[in-house]
């Protein structure tokens, strides 16, 4: 993928609150299309708040010298965000109705809902696209299954398929491998590696270093609501930086393009 100089996310001196807690005091960050990126940080670092700013479920404080632009706009149209930015979050997963069928959940992305309503009738083209994505993630046989019957790994793949219906410019995944067993994790990571060969920019938001696939080129370390480090993956994923980020003595072992974090003996 050829890198673009055009940022899809621009944050300048952003202040953001969750209820009575100020998560970001003065966050400045830019993410560009064509640049596969991991945003890495411990629990409580602000990762989930960043996701909520991207999906516009919360908004930053309006103040002089501060802005948050998505797709080059301070006030992007909701339909354009859905079309160009695919997003999978823990919050979305928790909102899925237990009895919804897999195929209906994927198709509902065309209508901006979570599950199909009676007044929403997919076209043949939309049906073809949904089944194509289920095939891509090896879950076509689950099309008629109910959400409640799926494993964690299957649910994650269904939601990623749903996020890709519009062939978005950017795919944002919040903790994509969380709660997955080793087989499900490796299967999902292999599929994300294949996805990186397309024209979709991947952004992984995670606290798991081992989930960062080889195709990721940039790593942003987030801690206490601020960017601690930001740069090429090979410069960031080392024992010294990760020891500071996670407040524990760590060493890094690399194999096959992946990193594994171990306690420093």
């Amino acid at each position: 993928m050829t890198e673009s100089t055009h940022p899809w996310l621009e944050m300048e001196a952003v202040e953001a609150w969750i209820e009575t807690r100020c998560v970001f005091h003065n966050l400045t960050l830019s993410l560009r299309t064509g640049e596969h990126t991991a945003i890495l940080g411990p629990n409580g670092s602000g990762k989930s708040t960043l996701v909520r700013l991207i999906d516009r479920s919360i908004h930053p404080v309006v103040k002089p010298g501060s802005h948050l632009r998505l797709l080059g706009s301070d006030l992007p149209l909701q339909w354009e965000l859905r079309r160009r930015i695919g997003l999978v979050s823990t919050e979305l997963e928790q909102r899925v109705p237990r009895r919804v069928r897999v195929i209906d959940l994927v198709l509902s992305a065309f209508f901006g809902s979570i599950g199909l309503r009676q007044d929403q009738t997919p076209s043949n083209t939309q049906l073809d696209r949904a089944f194509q994505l289920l095939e891509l993630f090896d879950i076509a046989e689950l099309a008629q299954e109910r959400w409640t019957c799926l494993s964690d790994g299957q649910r994650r793949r269904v939601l990623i398929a749903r996020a890709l219906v519009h062939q978005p410019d950017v795919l944002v995944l919040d903790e994509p491998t969380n709660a997955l067993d080793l087989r499900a994790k490796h299967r999902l990571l292999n599929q994300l590696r294949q996805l990186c060969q397309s024209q979709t920019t991947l952004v992984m938001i995670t606290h798991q270093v081992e989930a960062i696939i080889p195709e990721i080129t940039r790593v942003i370390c987030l801690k206490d609501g601020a960017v601690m480090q930001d740069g090429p993956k090979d410069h960031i994923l080392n024992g010294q930086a990760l020891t500071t980020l996670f407040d524990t003595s760590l060493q890094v072992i690399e194999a096959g393009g992946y990193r594994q974090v171990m306690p420093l003996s």
Side-chain angles (χ1 to χ4, degrees):
M1 178 180 287
T2 302
E3 286 193 8
S4 168
T5 58
H6 301 293
W8 65 269
L9 172 67
E10 300 169 88
M11 302 175 68
E12 182 69 34
V14 164
E15 179 180 331
W17 293 67
I18 299 295
E19 297 179 348
T20 60
R21 183 170 73 94
C22 182
V23 180
F24 298 136
H25 294 270
N26 191 38
L27 182 65
T28 296
L29 179 65
S30 177
L31 298 178
R32 295 179 290 274
T33 54
E35 185 175 57
H36 301 311
T37 302
I39 298 176
L40 181 68
N43 294 336
S45 61
K47 301 189 303 297
S48 296
T49 302
L50 179 60
V51 173
R52 295 182 67 182
L53 286 168
I54 293 171
D55 72 13
R56 295 179 64 81
S57 59
I58 64 169
H59 298 275
V61 174
V62 177
K63 61 181 184 180
S66 173
H67 66 254
L68 189 158
R69 296 191 183 113
L70 286 163
L71 307 175
S73 174
D74 293 291
L75 294 170
L77 297 174
Q78 191 65 35
W79 68 266
E80 186 177 13
L81 287 180
R82 291 197 201 109
R83 182 176 65 85
R84 297 183 57 191
I85 301 175
L87 191 146
V88 177
S89 66
T90 302
E91 184 179 13
L92 171 63
E93 186 169 342
Q94 292 171 346
R95 291 169 58 198
V96 176
R98 290 173 53 84
R99 299 293 297 167
V100 70
R101 294 188 309 162
V102 165
I103 188 61
D104 292 341
L105 179 58
V106 175
L107 286 166
S108 67
F110 288 110
F111 303 93
S113 58
I114 305 177
L116 289 178
R117 300 193 306 266
Q118 288 186 345
D119 62 334
Q120 296 171 336
T121 304
S123 67
N124 288 335
T125 299
Q126 290 170 336
L127 281 164
D128 288 344
R129 175 63 177 163
F131 277 107
Q132 178 188 41
L133 288 165
L134 293 178
E135 290 279 1
L136 177 67
F137 287 95
D138 299 324
I139 47 176
E141 73 279 4
L142 301 177
Q144 304 303 322
E145 291 288 346
R146 304 288 180 178
W147 180 254
T148 191
C149 298
L150 305 184
S151 68
D152 288 334
Q154 290 169 338
R155 289 182 178 187
R156 209 65 46 83
R157 284 184 284 157
V158 169
L159 288 178
I160 295 173
R162 181 183 183 276
L164 292 171
V165 297
H166 293 294
Q167 297 180 290
D169 300 329
V170 180
L171 176 63
V172 180
L173 301 181
D174 180 21
E175 301 290 1
T177 60
N178 205 32
L180 301 190
D181 62 28
L182 282 176
R183 182 175 182 272
K185 178 186 292 188
H186 292 163
R187 190 173 188 178
L188 177 59
L189 293 179
N190 284 334
Q191 289 167 326
L192 293 181
R193 296 192 67 183
Q194 295 174 29
L195 186 63
C196 284
Q197 307 306 315
S198 71
Q199 294 303 307
T200 300
T201 300
L202 179 65
V203 177
M204 300 180 71
I205 300 175
T206 185
H207 67 278
Q208 299 178 332
V209 175
E210 65 273 17
I212 298 176
I213 59 178
E215 286 71 18
I216 294 291
T217 57
R218 178 186 177 193
V219 174
I220 299 166
C221 294
L222 199 61
K223 184 177 183 180
D224 297 329
V227 174
M228 191 190 81
Q229 289 200 68
D230 178 0
K233 176 179 61 179
D234 292 340
H235 295 175
I236 302 295
L237 297 184
N238 58 69
Q240 182 178 357
L242 296 180
T243 291
T244 302
L245 179 64
F246 290 101
D247 291 321
T248 187
S249 297
L250 300 169
Q251 58 182 325
V252 177
I253 300 171
E254 181 180 356
Y258 286 92
R259 269 81 170 178
Q260 184 72 40
V261 177
M262 305 289 290
L264 187 63
S265 56

